[in-house]
Amino acid sequence: MRVIFILWLRQIKKYRSSHSRIIGAIGQPLLFLLALGYGIGAIYKRAGEGNYIDFLVPGVVIQTILFSSIFWGINVVFDRLFGFLKEALVAPVGRLHVLLGSVLGGATISMLQGTLVLVIALFIGFRPYNWALVPVAFLIMATMAIAITALGAGLGSIIDNFPAFQSINNFIILPLYFLSGAFFPLAGAPRVLRIIAEFNPLSYAVDAMRDVLIHQSHFGIEKDFLVLGLTVVILVSFGTLCFRRIQV
């Protein structure tokens, strides 16, 4: 446990010392909230769909966690290239402890950034329909943070340079996010988009957040949690398998 805590603390200290990273992490979500929320909000309201800011916030919070968590894998690439990971792996501790400490650190940072975006959303008019369900929203955020951070760790374990890691992440993550229904209601989407969304695990994270924050759901909360549970098991297993085979 001490090893896990130390590696977790290392990630937190690195994050605290990087002010530009903190600002950059909330810049893009804030742009989405303001530009899309107010730009498309009037059209969305005239279509009889309600408040677009309320609809958008759950998806933007998931986006913040998604991008922060997946790009945390760059730290694995960085630690491999500059020797820290080699020193950690030759120490008398299991690889699983090294992975857990790093993944929990990355997931904690993603949670902090997602929470910060949620707080900012309150200042631009967003309100949960039931404050008692907000802890459930944090549970969903934590589940996604751990799952995607583990995915990032797995990718960082098999990719040995920054440009390749960034290209592969963009190839995987951007389609997953934009086809998740984060920006548009799935109920009125073309059939092909609905079919893609049903096979996209990120769709269920966005849907679960909407269910607990604004009481809107496309799939149903039971199905959302079932898919999220399977997703975290699969991605953590993937990250663990790749990290066990990492070559430094």
Side-chain angles (χ1 to χ4, degrees), residues 109-130:
I109 291 168
S110 298
M111 278 288 297
L112 290 173
Q113 293 179 173
T115 301
L116 183 57
V117 170
L118 188 57
V119 170
I120 291 173
L122 296 177
F123 287 95
I124 61 174
F126 174 76
R127 292 294 182 274
Y129 92 98
N130 185 349

Side-chain angles (χ1 to χ4, degrees), residues 33-171:
L33 286 174
L34 295 177
L36 292 179
Y38 290 108
I40 302 178
I43 301 173
Y44 187 84
K45 189 173 183 178
R46 283 201 298 271
E49 297 290 345
N51 189 326
Y52 189 60
I53 289 285
D54 289 346
F55 178 84
L56 190 61
V57 166
V60 172
V61 172
I62 291 295
Q63 175 220 24
T64 305
I65 291 175
L66 174 70
F67 288 2
S68 173
S69 297
I70 193 68
F71 281 108
W72 173 87
I74 290 180
N75 286 327
V76 177
V77 179
F78 183 90
D79 287 344
R80 288 175 67 190
L81 293 178
F82 291 93
F84 174 83
L85 193 56
K86 183 176 183 179
E87 294 178 1
L89 293 180
V90 298
V93 295
R95 290 194 174 197
L96 183 58
H97 291 81
V98 176
L99 176 65
L100 282 176
S102 298
V103 166
L104 290 177
T108 301
I109 291 168
S110 298
M111 278 288 297
L112 290 173
Q113 293 179 173
T115 301
L116 183 57
V117 170
L118 188 57
V119 170
I120 291 173
L122 296 177
F123 287 95
I124 61 174
F126 174 76
R127 292 294 182 274
Y129 92 98
N130 185 349
W131 285 94
L133 293 178
V134 171
V136 182
F138 284 116
L139 175 62
I140 297 167
M141 292 162 62
T143 301
M144 283 303 299
I146 292 172
I148 304 300
T149 304
L151 173 62
L155 293 175
S157 300
I158 58 180
I159 300 170
D160 59 1
N161 65 83
F162 297 119
F165 183 91
Q166 204 159 7
S167 297
I168 291 177
N169 280 339
N170 288 336
F171 178 75

Side-chain angles (χ1 to χ4, degrees), residues 205-216:
V206 173
D207 193 63
M209 285 289 286
R210 286 207 180 107
D211 191 288
V212 300
L213 290 179
I214 64 172
H215 199 43
Q216 290 184 22

